[in-house]
Amino acid sequence: MPRSVAIVGAGLAGLSCARTLAAHGVETRLFDKGRAPGGRLATRRVEAEGRAFAFDHGAQYLTARGALFRATLEASGAQAWQADGWHVGVPRMSAIPRALAEGLEVALAREVVAVEGAAGAWMLRHAAPRRPGQKQADDTVEASGPFDAVVLAIPAPQAVPLLRGPAPHLARVVEMVRIAPCWTLMAAFPSRLALPDTLRPEGSPIGWAARDSSKPARDAATECWVMQGGPAWSREHLELRAEEAQAALLTAFAELAGGLPAPLHASAHRWRYALVEQALGAPCLWEPALGLGAAGDWCIAARAEAAVESGAALGAVIAGR
Ligand SMILES: Cc1cc2nc3c(=O)[nH]c(=O)nc-3n(C[C@H](O)[C@H](O)[C@H](O)COP(=O)(O)OP(=O)(O)OC[C@H]3O[C@@H](n4cnc5c(N)ncnc54)[C@H](O)[C@@H]3O)c2cc1C
């Protein structure tokens, strides 16, 4: 069993893998390029017009089919919302990964651009820190390691280039996974809209819209909405500038709402890899001879629960359970 494991990605899969390994006495270090753990289980906070708004702009609601995720939701204080079996983080979605990250060593703003070395002595090479939207600098600034093993808990298309050098055969397998993009619009309005709390429109660029402020423990005095472009629309318009996607989705939402007041805040976020369309079909990948593995929702299905299951499965296999 490896004694030290580096985990690239502190989303649900990476966190769940780290917790499982820690429970078996394996030392782990997580590295994430973001400013907070959680990945696609995310909350964006903004200030506009002298007010604070929060939007769960990634996963919208969580459902648990198995005992592990049920326990994860319960332990992180998630609460019911809207439909039978739907849960959300409280007071925001990001509270769930925050709870999972407690007690773990997580290095944030630490993008990994290469996995180098050999079995038993892997090194991670990092990119120079950059602000959101800023292009990656060519120079890498530092390295971490050595580690006995490395886990890639990042979306499959982002894992492929990191695997090509040390494990090209794994890269070829991961290349088969397909993940759909999703343009997401976040908007706050000065007054309540005459719409139900959730919508799944047909024949619109928007595939899902929800009154985020209707979730438990949110500021109900705000009228915060999250609207997602459908997969076909998002794919077709993936390379729009954020302002262009924002304008197009706001127009589509105005059509659904029969008109809109001027928003107090509106911004769009491009999830290049959002929802798994073609999964790997195995709980995780692990190459014991190399000490390299991969986990993520993309191993199993397009759901947050799949990420937790995949990470836990990889942790167990590495620990020899
Ligand atoms: C818009 C949207 C809506 C969704 N709706 C739902 C829903 O309603 N219900 C549901 O169950 N699921 C939903 N999902 C899916 C759910 O969010 C995911 O299944 C789950 O969060 C995936 O977790 P993960 O750990 O596999 O990956 P991620 O959450 O993507 O975590 C990967 C982490 O790796 C980091 N990373 C990537 N590359 C590097 C690198 N080179 N170096 C360092 N760090 C790196 C990222 O910053 C990220 O934190 C939605 C997702 C999106 C985007």
Side-chain angles (χ1 to χ4, degrees):
M1 177 164 81
R3 280 161 305 164
S4 63
V5 179
I7 302 177
V8 184
L12 290 185
L15 293 168
S16 146
C17 184
R19 292 193 81 84
T20 308
L21 285 168
H24 290 104
V26 180
E27 188 191 312
T28 64
R29 271 179 81 191
L30 289 128
F31 298 88
D32 200 289
K33 66 181 178 181
R35 284 172 294 172
R40 282 171 275 164
L41 219 64
T43 305
R44 172 78 55 85
R45 284 194 271 181
V46 294
E47 283 190 19
E49 311 276 335
R51 296 172 63 182
F53 302 106
F55 306 89
D56 294 336
H57 64 308
Q60 297 293 289
Y61 61 86
L62 310 170
T63 51
R65 298 179 190 176
L68 174 64
F69 198 48
R70 215 169 290 131
T72 306
L73 292 178
E74 210 176 297
S76 60
Q79 290 185 18
W81 176 62
Q82 287 288 318
D84 195 23
W86 289 14
H87 288 87
V88 294
V90 170
R92 30 191 170 265
M93 213 49 133
S94 55
I96 295 172
R98 252 174 230 284
L100 277 174
E102 234 160 75
L104 297 174
E105 196 184 332
V106 187
L108 296 169
R110 270 286 191 286
E111 182 168 9
V112 173
V113 293
V115 178
E116 295 170 346
W122 292 112
M123 300 294 296
L124 302 183
R125 208 153 275 287
H126 303 291
R130 55 181 163 136
R131 286 194 296 279
Q134 198 184 338
K135 285 244 178 305
Q136 188 180 305
D138 288 338
D139 51 331
T140 53
V141 283
E142 55 182 271
S144 305
F147 299 99
D148 289 345
V150 173
V151 163
L152 299 182
I154 60 182
Q158 294 173 321
V160 168
L162 296 185
L163 285 170
R164 269 200 197 111
H169 56 297
L170 290 186
R172 278 194 292 277
V173 173
V174 176
E175 252 167 11
M176 291 187 286
V177 171
R178 291 279 166 269
I179 305 184
C182 180
W183 266 115
T184 299
L185 172 67
M186 296 157 269
F189 298 97
S191 53
R192 191 175 167 86
L193 308 182
L195 287 171
D197 288 345
T198 64
L199 288 87
R200 282 187 205 274
E202 305 237 334
S204 165
I206 292 175
W208 160 268
R211 178 180 280 115
D212 211 56
S213 43
S214 71
K215 293 177 178 175
R218 270 61 172 182
D219 181 359
T222 63
E223 179 72 352
C224 290
W225 281 80
V226 170
M227 293 71 108
Q228 295 173 345
W233 188 89
S234 295
R235 184 168 272 133
E236 196 180 327
H237 297 88
L238 191 57
E239 301 309 332
L240 287 184
R241 286 184 296 120
E243 310 83 72
E244 294 170 327
Q246 172 191 318
L249 289 173
L250 208 49
T251 302
F253 190 54
E255 272 166 28
L256 294 172
L260 286 177
L264 300 171
H265 167 82
S267 57
H269 180 84
R270 174 177 34 214
W271 294 102
R272 211 168 264 285
Y273 306 109
L275 292 166
V276 179
E277 288 180 321
Q278 171 72 53
L280 181 70
C284 59
L285 282 176
W286 175 238
E287 183 72 83
L290 287 175
L292 286 179
D297 58 347
W298 53 269
C299 290
I300 304 174
R303 298 186 309 119
E305 179 171 26
V308 168
E309 297 270 0
S310 174
L314 182 54
V317 93
I318 294 174
R321 302 302 144 126

